Amino acid sequence: MGEALGLVVSLGALAWLAAALDAALTNGGPWRAQARGGVLWGVGAVGREVARLLVQQRRRTLLPDALLTRAGSVTLLVAPVLAAVVLPLGRTPVTDLDVGIVWFNAMEVCVWGALWLVGWGVNAVGPLVGGYRFVAQGVAYELPHMFALITVALGAGSLRFGDVVDAQREMWFVVWMPVAFLVYLVSALAMAFWGPMDQPLGRDVAGGVPAELSGPDRLVFQAGRYAVLVVVAAAAVPLFLGGGAGPVLPAWAWTLVKTVSVLALLVVARHRLPAVRMDRFMGFAWTVLIPATLAQLLVVGIVVL
C-alpha cells in the first residue's frame, strides 16, 4: 500500500514538474504561461490554472454522451498509473510481473481508447477529427514501438523489468541498442500526443480532442496527458538507461535523475521541433522506423544467440 501511494505521489509531482517546465517554456501555451520566472514561476502558473479549472462551469455540446466522455478522460489518467506499477522505483516495482513489458504496452494501448472515447463522446466535429488523427498516429507508431520493446526483451532474455535492469549491469542498452532507444523516444512523443506529434490537438481542428472540454473534465484530461508523458519518460530508464544504476547516490535517486532528464528532453522537444503531418509520419514509420527497428532486432538477436 505504501509503495502504491508513493508511486501515485511521485507521478503527480513529476507531472506537475513537467507542466511547470512546459509553462516556463511556453508563450501563451496550455497553461497560459509567460516565460519570465523559470520553472518556479511555472509551478505557480500551473497551480493557478488548476484552481481556475476546478471552479469553471462545464460546457456541454448538443446531445453529448457524457458517460463515454468522462470514461475516456478518467481512463487517460488511470492507464498511465497502471502502466507505472511494473516500473522499478529504484530497485523494485510496485508489482513485479513476469510479463511487465507486455502489461506496460497494453496500458499504453488503453490511451488509444481513452482519446477515442473523448473525441466521440462530446458529439462535435473538432474532437472527432482529433480522435481519428490519433488512431492514424497510433497505427504509425505502435509497430516500431513494439519492435523497440521486443528488442529490449530479447537482449535481456525476459519480459520482466527487473531482469531488463539486471541485464544492463555491464552496459546500458542505450549503448548497443541506440536505434531502439531513438525509436522509443519518437514513439513516446506520439503516445503522449506531444510536441511534433500533437496533431490530435491541432489548432486547425479548433483544439482537437479536448476542444469541448472545460472545468474539471479538462483538468482530468490535461492531468492524464502529463501522466502519460511522465510514464513514458520513466519507462525509458529501466528499458535503456540501466534503471537505478549509478555511483554514490541510491538507486531511487538515480532513477529520479534519469527520469527527470528524459522528461525534460521530451518537454523541450515540444518547443523546438515542428509539427509532423500524420500522412508523412505514417510513411516515415513504415519506410524508415520499422526497417530500422527490425535491423536493430536482428543485430541484438545475433549477439544474444
Side-chain angles (χ1 to χ4, degrees), residues 212-287:
E212 299 296 336
L213 298 181
S214 60
D217 293 332
R218 191 173 188 90
L219 177 59
V220 172
F221 183 91
Q222 289 280 34
R225 187 188 186 195
Y226 282 106
V228 173
L229 188 69
V230 168
V231 169
V232 294
V237 176
L239 288 173
F240 296 99
L241 302 177
V248 183
L249 298 177
W252 68 266
W254 275 115
T255 300
L256 179 61
V257 168
K258 294 174 184 178
T259 298
V260 170
S261 299
V262 177
L263 184 60
L265 177 65
L266 296 180
V267 172
V268 170
R270 181 188 181 198
H271 301 270
R272 296 293 182 268
L273 300 178
V276 178
R277 279 174 40 184
M278 281 307 97
D279 57 331
R280 293 180 178 176
F281 180 58
M282 179 80 74
F284 178 73
W286 284 85
T287 59

Side-chain angles (χ1 to χ4, degrees), residues 46-225:
V46 175
R48 290 189 294 273
E49 182 68 4
V50 168
R52 185 186 71 84
L53 290 176
L54 283 174
V55 299
Q56 185 182 55
Q57 184 177 2
R58 285 188 172 100
R59 182 170 62 246
R60 291 177 62 87
T61 55
L62 181 64
L63 299 177
D65 192 323
L67 178 61
L68 288 184
T69 303
R70 289 173 186 167
S73 296
V74 171
T75 300
L76 184 62
L77 182 59
V78 172
V81 176
L82 293 178
V85 300
V86 296
L87 301 181
L89 298 176
R91 300 217 176 263
T92 58
V94 174
T95 303
D96 195 11
L97 297 180
D98 291 336
V99 290
I101 292 179
V102 176
W103 171 266
F104 175 76
N105 192 51
M107 293 303 101
E108 292 175 326
V109 173
C110 289
V111 175
W112 287 32
L115 248 70
W116 175 252
L117 287 178
V118 174
W120 177 270
V122 296
N123 193 31
V125 174
L128 183 60
V129 173
Y132 273 117
R133 281 185 176 179
F134 189 72
V135 171
Q137 184 165 292
V139 172
Y141 85 76
E142 186 59 34
L143 275 179
H145 179 72
M146 289 177 61
F147 287 141
L149 295 180
I150 291 171
T151 302
V152 169
L154 179 62
S158 175
L159 291 169
R160 180 174 163 269
F161 272 95
D163 293 337
V164 172
V165 173
D166 292 339
Q168 299 178 68
R169 288 179 179 176
E170 296 182 0
M171 182 183 296
W172 292 359
F173 281 173
V174 67
V175 177
W176 68 296
M177 302 179 188
V179 174
F181 179 62
L182 291 175
V183 169
Y184 176 84
L185 291 181
V186 172
S187 61
L189 291 172
M191 190 184 315
F193 43 103
W194 186 261
M197 306 298 180
D198 69 349
Q199 287 301 291
L201 278 63
R203 293 182 180 179
D204 57 324
V205 287
V209 174
E212 299 296 336
L213 298 181
S214 60
D217 293 332
R218 191 173 188 90
L219 177 59
V220 172
F221 183 91
Q222 289 280 34
R225 187 188 186 195

